[in-house]
Amino acid sequence: MLYYLIICRSLTYAQRTAAALGRAGITAHIFRTPRQIAGEGCSHCVKIRLHDLEDALAVLRQAGLPAKRVFLADNGGGYEEVGL
């Protein structure tokens, strides 16, 4: 199953991101960013369904919560960065 991970710069931003998406009717789950894609330091990410990306990015732009990076992920552990 494919899904998107929206990388946030902190837990607080991940919480704000998930809350903004939730208010827009988009299901979002927060968790620690997988080590393979975390980069420097620790970060948190928000997982959304495959078909929600376009709407989610629009909601986040309106809320002033731009995504740091976005990855397409699969349950097998593969990650591919998506250009914003």
Side-chain angles (χ1 to χ4, degrees), residues 19-76:
L21 294 174
R23 285 190 298 273
I26 298 171
T27 302
H29 302 281
I30 302 170
F31 59 96
R32 297 281 310 250
T33 302
R35 187 172 290 168
Q36 302 94 308
I37 60 174
E40 68 275 349
C42 60
S43 66
H44 287 77
C45 60
V46 177
K47 178 181 175 180
I48 61 171
R49 292 178 300 217
L50 188 64
H51 65 276
D52 287 334
L53 182 63
E54 189 175 317
D55 292 338
L57 293 177
V59 166
L60 296 178
R61 276 191 295 273
Q62 274 189 327
L65 296 166
K68 184 176 172 183
R69 293 163 53 201
V70 176
F71 285 86
L72 177 63
D74 63 45
N75 286 338

Side-chain angles (χ1 to χ4, degrees), residues 3-36:
Y3 55 91
Y4 284 106
L5 295 177
I6 300 172
I7 310 301
C8 301
R9 64 184 187 188
S10 69
L11 176 58
T12 300
Y13 273 84
Q15 290 168 333
R16 290 177 183 170
T17 295
L21 294 174
R23 285 190 298 273
I26 298 171
T27 302
H29 302 281
I30 302 170
F31 59 96
R32 297 281 310 250
T33 302
R35 187 172 290 168
Q36 302 94 308

